[in-house]
Amino acid sequence: MSQDATGTTTRALRWRFGPAVLDGRSLELTVAGSLVRLEPKPLELLLHLLRHPGEVVTKEELHESLWAGRFLSESVLTKTMARLRQALGDEEQLLIKTVHGYGYRLVAAVTVEASAEAIEPASGFSSGEAIPHRAGWVMDRPLGSGGQGEVWLGRHARTGERRVFKFSHDAAGLTGLKRELTLFRVIQQATPGGRRDVVRLHDLNIETPPFFLEAEYVEGGTLPQWFEAQGGLAALPLERRVALAAEVAESLAAAHGAGVLHKDLKPSNILIALDEQGAPYVKLADFGSGRMMDLARLEQLEITRLGFTQTVAVGPDGASGTPLYLAPELLGGLQPSVRSDIYALGVMLFQLVVGDFRRPLAPGWEAEVPDALLREDIAEAAAGNPLRRLGEAATLAQRLRQLPERRREREQHLSLQAERERAEAEAQTLRQQLHSARSRRRWLRALAVVLALGLGLSSWGFWQARQAQRATQVAAQEAESVARFVTEDFLQSADPIGAARPQLTVTQLLDEASARLKERLRDQPQAEAKILYALARAYQGMGDWASARQRLAEAVEQSASAFGPDHPNTLRARLDLAYAQLLNDDYAQAEATYQALAAAQRGQPEDDPLWLDTRDALAHQDFVRGNFAGAVAQYEALLADYQRLGLTDRLNDLRWYLPEVYTEVGRYDEAEAMTRTALAASERKYGKDHPRQYWIALTLGDVLMEARHWNAADAVFVHSYEGLRRHLGEMHPYTLTALHYHGAVLLRRGEAEAAMPHLVQAFTARQTVHGPEHAYTLYSAHRLGQAYAATGQFAQAVPLLRTALDASTRRQGAEHPNTLELRLSLAEAEHLAGNRQAARAMMAELLPLARSRLPPQGPRMARFERLATALEEKTQAASKG
């Protein structure tokens, strides 16, 4: 609750939507320029929808708002809506859409403006009169008014103590007060002992009008008022202003951690209090526009859903918030999210840095912020694209707290940069030397790649070589070393081949080497077999799985001819071919290859590398095929053997793979701890900014998502997406997986409309990269179908889910966990569409199969049980009704 709640009242507003205009002062409705008479109840219904544009407003909420305390049949609301549609001429539902099974949604774009004859609110309150329902308290002075009520400073007549009272006089305003009360309880219960950085509520009246919430009065006032009392924003040192911004970010992070969006973050909703030593600290206020990201959390905390009668929350809420701090995606019609709150935080940080709360974040703002690190912080917090925006307010708080240390690191970085530039100059000299040998360049390039691959450079090694050419001194030294090896030891030439590689893409190098391989090595079959194998591994790392499979098949054939069918090189190529077959969804062929390899190697020494890799592959095959219990058993046996044999590298890799299986059986804590260990080990070996790090991090994000830590998971996904996109490109399978996960966690968090563009992009790209029936494409089709269903787009949801289900049944089998979960999502879509009888019939057949096939403690089974419970509750309610 803000102490500076300025604004106009509902009766001083005019709404424009489609061809209609509603004047809040006269309550006159015009449609296409003609005055239309509207009865009281349809008018109240329209007003309620106009206050929640884009949101699915449930029938229960409308009953509470329009007919509070009365028990009416559903037909009363239906008839009221019919009269409203008739008045608007909206029989085609172009303005107001019926969301079957839930309620209604105002889909027309809404413009809200002040009425030409706007008047000040007249509540009847006056200074000095007694506050209703609060003995001993009197009205001191008005603090402002909002769209659904007024805010007054109250004073105790005897003690002089002051409190802030937010009043409402109608059902709509009461719903807002209840929502604010609920969010306050959620935030306070999320922290033992409560939080001092959120305004405290002392009392309330939600029984009889005038309804109110009573909150503490903060002497320091709002953020702008406090700065004005200090002599203005510029009067305080930059470090103090940045520290206050960090406090605001920490307070917002606490709200987000409790599952609460603020939706109207701005300086006037930040209050300044003083601690016992007189030091100022912030208090976050006014959650009247806020919302829960996950209503299920209310049940977990045993908090009544006051003001949250909606069972589904989708669509934008463009009417709430202050334009200066509204994120671009909200203006574009998407629904609010953690990142839209962070955008407002980024704008506030900019204003604090430049010393002006009236300054917008307009193009060219960077010139006003001389500190490079603060420019980066503002740019990442207030990025126009939400996907490139910081995912957690806590991240911004940490960066601001560590600003001095970051400045020192930046100075060191600049010093190293100068060294890199010197190394790059040397590399340029090498490139110029190479240019003089242009006539031989094409076949030298191909041979350089072949030789590099023959030396055992994996796809990750290719990335290191490619990345090395760009910047660092180590990179230049590595490139020169490879060039010297090729030229001196093999070509007996001084041409620096390695320095030429930045002029080509890795894929071009691989294609060029593949095309010339037979010609160059026709008399060296063993070398050809090795290089075919290395080329295949490189293609696999680059995400071209079809080419990888083709080269591996060639490598197996060539190796069998050159070395023999039972030679370790041939067996190794067959093992990798089986994995490539899995990547290409050829499960039957992969399984046959794995089983043949296992039979051929039984009895090998327990530390034989190929035998250990075969055991690992068999465990992975169990995981891919949905046999999670078998995968756990095999992986844990390997884990024990790696520990006993002291195989550190293998142990670290296994700590990356096993958490995926642990997640499927509900062992989230073990999975998270093990993945973090794998990340730390990989960072020590490869560094922070290596694509392997971002790929491993996706496993961590998946674990956090299944454990329902939505914000933490999404921060991981977005960070990984940016890193993988930067290093591997937009269309690499790993990059698309990160994008898919980002959309999936938004969907799971209850932000289906915000998830939609990311899921559409991932689905479309995966169709292009993998084909329409690849498992990865079906994953994206599944989540996109769920998003369509959650937003009421059942005509798109049901066919997409049915198509994906048919493909999954053909490719993975009718009892594969992915197929079972697709059937569950189809049943859920039917349920949301109002086809509850069909949904119950599907679940009656599906639930016993799921209980026999899925781990009882896993996240998939939990989703089955939740839907079964929801259907049962609906059935019981219908029978009682």
Side-chain angles (χ1 to χ4, degrees), residues 130-170:
I131 294 179
H133 315 300
R134 282 297 276 133
W137 288 85
V138 297
M139 304 285 185
D140 187 82
R141 57 185 172 86
L143 295 175
S145 61
Q148 296 176 355
E150 303 167 62
V151 183
W152 278 75
L153 178 62
R155 175 175 47 83
H156 196 277
R158 182 172 55 83
T159 65
E161 183 181 359
R162 289 182 289 180
R163 300 270 175 85
V164 175
F165 291 81
K166 178 183 279 190
F167 292 99
S168 178
H169 302 275
D170 58 19

Side-chain angles (χ1 to χ4, degrees), residues 277-471:
Q277 287 73 41
Y281 65 94
V282 304
K283 280 182 175 286
L284 201 54
D286 200 349
F287 283 85
S289 299
R291 61 170 284 189
M292 287 294 299
M293 290 182 273
D294 180 11
L295 291 179
R297 183 169 175 79
L298 297 178
E299 276 77 16
Q300 296 170 6
L301 297 173
E302 299 182 352
I303 294 175
T304 305
R305 291 188 183 188
L306 293 175
F308 288 91
T309 55
Q310 291 170 270
T311 53
V312 164
V314 298
D317 187 7
S320 65
T322 302
L324 190 62
Y325 303 94
L326 280 179
E329 66 269 20
L330 301 185
L331 299 174
L334 297 181
Q335 72 170 9
S337 66
V338 167
R339 283 188 168 79
S340 55
D341 273 358
I342 291 174
Y343 178 87
L345 186 61
V347 175
M348 286 176 55
L349 174 60
F350 166 71
Q351 293 173 331
L352 284 165
V353 170
V354 300
D356 187 353
F357 281 125
R358 297 169 298 179
R359 192 78 59 87
L361 193 72
W365 64 265
E366 295 88 349
E368 302 179 64
V369 182
D371 189 296
L373 291 175
L374 285 173
R375 281 200 305 272
E376 292 174 9
D377 294 338
I378 295 168
E380 292 189 38
N385 182 349
L387 192 59
R388 298 184 179 181
R389 200 176 300 154
L390 290 177
E392 288 192 323
T395 302
L396 180 60
Q398 182 181 30
R399 291 169 69 153
L400 296 178
R401 295 289 191 196
Q402 296 176 346
L403 200 57
E405 293 85 350
R406 292 168 59 207
R407 286 188 179 121
R408 287 193 292 271
E409 290 176 0
R410 176 58 59 89
E411 290 175 1
Q412 295 173 355
H413 172 77
L414 291 175
S415 176
L416 289 173
Q417 182 65 33
E419 183 65 20
R420 292 190 190 105
E421 290 174 359
R422 185 191 63 78
E424 178 59 27
E426 294 178 1
Q428 179 61 30
T429 301
L430 294 175
R431 283 193 288 270
Q432 291 171 353
Q433 292 175 12
L434 178 66
H435 187 70
S436 64
R438 200 171 184 85
S439 60
R440 291 180 293 165
R441 185 170 142 219
R442 294 184 63 82
W443 67 270
L444 287 176
R445 280 197 311 242
L447 187 54
V449 173
V450 169
L451 291 170
L453 288 168
L455 288 171
L457 287 175
S458 68
S459 57
W460 296 119
F462 257 98
W463 171 86
Q464 285 178 315
R466 176 184 174 195
Q467 180 75 357
Q469 297 297 326
R470 294 176 183 161

Side-chain angles (χ1 to χ4, degrees), residues 847-869:
L847 194 57
L849 182 58
R851 285 172 174 161
S852 66
R853 187 71 179 82
L854 299 177
Q857 305 302 320
R860 298 179 194 248
M861 195 64 235
R863 288 194 277 276
F864 273 88
E865 299 291 2
R866 279 198 294 271
L867 181 57
T869 300

Side-chain angles (χ1 to χ4, degrees), residues 12 73 108 113 158 166 193 250 289 356 363 424 504 557 604 630 647 725 728 789 814 861:
S73 67
E113 57 190 38
R158 182 172 55 83
K166 178 183 279 190
E250 288 163 349
S289 299
D356 187 353
E424 178 59 27
L504 298 174
E557 182 179 356
Q604 292 291 326
L647 303 175
R725 183 179 62 84
L728 302 180
M861 195 64 235

Side-chain angles (χ1 to χ4, degrees), residues 564-583:
D566 297 325
H567 191 278
N569 287 358
T570 307
L571 297 178
R572 169 68 63 187
R574 288 178 65 194
L575 184 63
D576 281 7
L577 175 60
Y579 181 64
Q581 289 163 343
L582 274 185
L583 289 176

Side-chain angles (χ1 to χ4, degrees), residues 582-601:
L582 274 185
L583 289 176
N584 287 276
D585 274 4
D586 191 346
Y587 302 113
Q589 190 63 50
E591 186 170 357
T593 304
Y594 280 140
Q595 294 302 329
L597 282 168
Q601 293 183 73

